[in-house]
Amino acid sequence: MDFGVVLRPNPPASGVVAMMKLAESAGFGYGWTFDSHVLWQEAFMIYPRALAETSAMIVGPMVTNPSTRDWSVLASMFATLNDEYGNRTVCGIGRGDSALRCIGLPPASLDAVSAAMTVIKGLAEGREVIHHGRPVRIPWARGGSLPMWLAAYGPRALRLAGERADGFILQTADPDIARWTFGSVRAAAAEAGRDPGSIAMCVAAPAYVGTDLGHQRDQLRWFGAMAGNHVADLVASYGEGGLPRALTGYIDKRPAYDYRQHGRADNPAADFVPDEIMDRCCLLGPAPAHVNRLRELAEIGADQFALYLMHDDEEGTLEAYGDEIIPAFRLSSGCRDLSY
């Protein structure tokens, strides 16, 4: 299993880069950031320095969207970074949430996401594509590689991930939801004539290593509120039929969502999220509990765990992952069984 760290591009940018460097030294191979240019700093301004000050870390947004930048601009930025730093980028993409709603726009359609994936990847890798109705190619983009990873929950988006994406991002660590979504993506890939095993499966969720479960839940309850915002969109589109109850069951008491509190540990509108949901969607407790959950997710098919690092002991959690959790997977992959 690979490990990634997900950060908000909070000012100063130097602090984001410092955390990526610390994460790489702890064994994390991916450095992701949110991409919401009003709430936080512009992510793509941070990536060059992050790449320059790490040695092998792969960086990218979790996630960008098709609406806030022209697709050719996104492609050119990725192609430039890959040319300078040797194909060390990945593009996580979705319909868009805070980045769009904070400027008065709705999330993009899945048709727009699908088309954007084709154009961005093709241009960044040096191919000619049709963009705005005409053929376009970036002539200096040669030998580039840009994996496109789609963040999704709903049935249509999961199908799109299986049909078109290089990777799938699930924003919860709930094993039941992982089984359902991974299975849906793989089935769609097989129906499209693709190898289901070729699609990277990424579970993205907060983690907090420690013994005070009550404090940990309170620090990470923002994530349940954020995920509930996405789930509410799904229910509005599909109803609850066809969606697992584990995904929809807790949003009945959800209040209006305040994007000014997005991704914040002190989000006052997260109290509706019950402890049961926190225990299912996040990784809590001491290091052995994290190892056990990650092993369960790996058995389901997770290739990467991307750790949302947004609480009051970020460096302590990074250290625990570097000292106790990531080594368990590195050693177990070498046929040594580490049991806690």
Side-chain angles (χ1 to χ4, degrees), residues 269-331:
D271 291 344
F272 75 98
V273 182
D275 288 349
E276 177 189 359
I277 291 296
M278 297 307 304
D279 294 346
R280 292 174 67 91
C281 72
C282 301
L283 273 72
L284 306 169
H290 291 242
V291 171
N292 290 338
R293 173 68 67 83
L294 290 169
R295 281 182 172 160
E296 182 178 8
L297 292 167
E299 289 173 0
I300 295 168
D303 300 298
Q304 180 181 149
F305 175 60
L307 190 167
Y308 282 116
L309 194 63
M310 297 147 203
H311 54 68
D312 63 359
D313 189 24
E314 296 173 355
E315 292 191 10
T317 290
L318 275 186
E319 182 179 1
Y321 264 73
D323 290 347
E324 302 178 73
I325 297 167
I326 293 176
F329 288 85
R330 299 289 182 261
L331 290 171

Side-chain angles (χ1 to χ4, degrees), residues 16 28 36 64 243 254 280 290 326:
V16 180
F28 289 80
S36 193
T64 194
L243 299 173
R254 170 183 170 268
R280 292 174 67 91
H290 291 242
I326 293 176

Side-chain angles (χ1 to χ4, degrees), residues 101-155:
R101 287 182 161 128
C102 283
I103 59 173
L105 295 176
S109 69
L110 282 176
D111 287 343
V113 173
S114 178
M117 290 169 63
T118 298
V119 170
I120 295 166
K121 182 179 179 68
L123 287 175
E125 295 182 346
R127 294 187 297 279
E128 183 179 283
V129 301
I130 301 299
H131 185 40
H132 297 311
R134 61 172 293 171
V136 179
R137 184 174 71 85
I138 298 177
W140 49 265
R142 302 177 185 277
S145 175
L146 181 62
M148 300 293 298
W149 291 22
L150 179 62
Y153 289 108

